[in-house]
Amino acid sequence: MRSFLASGLFFSLASAAAIKRDGGHYNYGHHGKGLNIQVGPRPYYLVDDMDEGPLKKKLESCSEGPFKTSDFVFSHRGAPLQFPEHTREGLMAGRREGAGVLECDVAFTKDKKLVCRHAQCDLHTTTNILNVTELASKCTTPFKPSADGKPAEAKCCTSDITMDEFKTLCGKMDGFNPNATTVTEYMDGTPYFRTDLYSTCGTLQTHDEYIDLVNSWGLKFTPELKTPEVEMPFDGYTQEQYAQDMIDAYKKRNISADRVFAQSFLPDDIFYWIKNEPAFGKQAVYLDERVDTPEGYDNATASIPELAEKGVKILAPAFFALTKVDESGEIVPSEYAIAAKKAGLDIVTWSFERSGWLNKGGDYYYQYVAPVINNDGDMYNVLDVLVHKVGIRAIFSDWPATVTYFASCFNL
């Protein structure tokens, strides 16, 4: 209860009229029913920052809502623009902001239990483990201060500790200071465009806890099987068993496969689910990172028909790969996007609100359209192309409210 009162206080007070006590538990409604979806000031800031034109007028016309939960909106790690990722508080924020599908990146612990963490070895940047002496000593690489021009170093993995030990940790905003000479300095590295305001002690989630929480809201799931950073098999634990264990957690609870979008960057995981768990495999999401280099982009585009033949139904590259700027200066669908649609594949893409300020053309996520990006409001121009020209099925967002505003305006 302490963590609910601490990090979730804003949401509990702001939505008091929509929440009621029921049998000792807080009732947040079922898939938006009885829940007041709130988008806060950020979408209005972005719309106001847009250049004048039809899209801005359309979005302005939707300023008073109503705003609704949408399966178009995938909550990326909760709401990590302001909340520690993969925490109960972050999931609560994503749900309040209208996400119809919430994510748990799935890693395994030393005792082969499944937990929510973006990477198997990110505990040193996303939790307080380095401040917990008895657990810090178990890290793959204990903290080493910056010295002689070399950056500070640490590496702490979920597989270094048990699930019970994992649950004693606090989530913090992801970040670190490479110039740190102390643990305190190392942990003080939150990116400038985020905040530590809700990072008092984020409540970490096991995969089972995530399922039960999201299921209690009647929403959908998108668990990502994280690529292991240890050699597999791990103490006899195979990749296939890992993939199966993730699916079994939903089957154990009789959760319908059409509520689960299992993800992986490893194509073999996708093919495993297609073959062994076809009900889940038919909407498994292949996270395609091959597009990160020009050669990889070309190869990925050429391989799309073969992926479709093998049963892949949903592709998910970073959204930069889905657009480009044509000779007239317009943002249009990329060759990759066109090939995916031609092959009959759905597209889910990632991750909105992960770039900070866009007044200098954006970053990784806007690299193919940087020449026509010069302010934060241009985010909505890119999203409009992704929706109405590329035809994406959904998009992950670090701040779901931004996409919920757009989705509600266009009835997505």
Side-chain angles (χ1 to χ4, degrees), residues 292-338:
D292 279 357
T293 66
E295 181 181 3
Y297 176 94
D298 291 340
N299 290 338
T301 302
S303 76
I304 287 174
E306 181 182 357
L307 289 173
E309 289 178 4
K310 290 183 176 180
V312 175
K313 303 293 185 184
I314 305 176
L315 279 179
F319 69 78
F320 80 83
L322 299 174
T323 58
K324 65 178 185 178
V325 177
D326 69 10
E327 294 179 355
S328 67
E330 294 294 316
I331 300 175
V332 297
S334 68
E335 293 82 3
Y336 182 102
I338 293 170

Side-chain angles (χ1 to χ4, degrees), residues 288-293 297 317-324 334 349-351 363-369 382 386:
D288 193 353
E289 62 183 344
R290 299 172 299 167
V291 297
D292 279 357
T293 66
Y297 176 94
F319 69 78
F320 80 83
L322 299 174
T323 58
K324 65 178 185 178
S334 68
T349 192
W350 44 276
S351 293
D363 63 353
Y364 170 82
Y365 291 98
Y366 296 87
Q367 58 185 285
Y368 285 2
V369 297
V382 173
L386 291 171

Side-chain angles (χ1 to χ4, degrees), residues 135-147:
L135 297 184
S137 65
K138 298 182 179 183
C139 289
T140 297
T141 304
F143 174 72
K144 297 179 181 179
S146 174

Side-chain angles (χ1 to χ4, degrees), residues 132 187 259 294 319 344 353:
V132 184
M187 294 174 64
R259 293 177 61 198
F319 69 78
E353 288 284 32

Side-chain angles (χ1 to χ4, degrees), residues 13 44 49 58 105 123 130 135 171 184 276 284 305 335-336 338 352 356 373 391:
L13 292 177
Y44 301 93
D49 195 46
K58 170 63 177 175
D105 291 323
L123 296 181
L130 294 177
L135 297 184
T184 299
N276 296 284
E335 293 82 3
Y336 182 102
I338 293 170
F352 219 53
I373 298 294

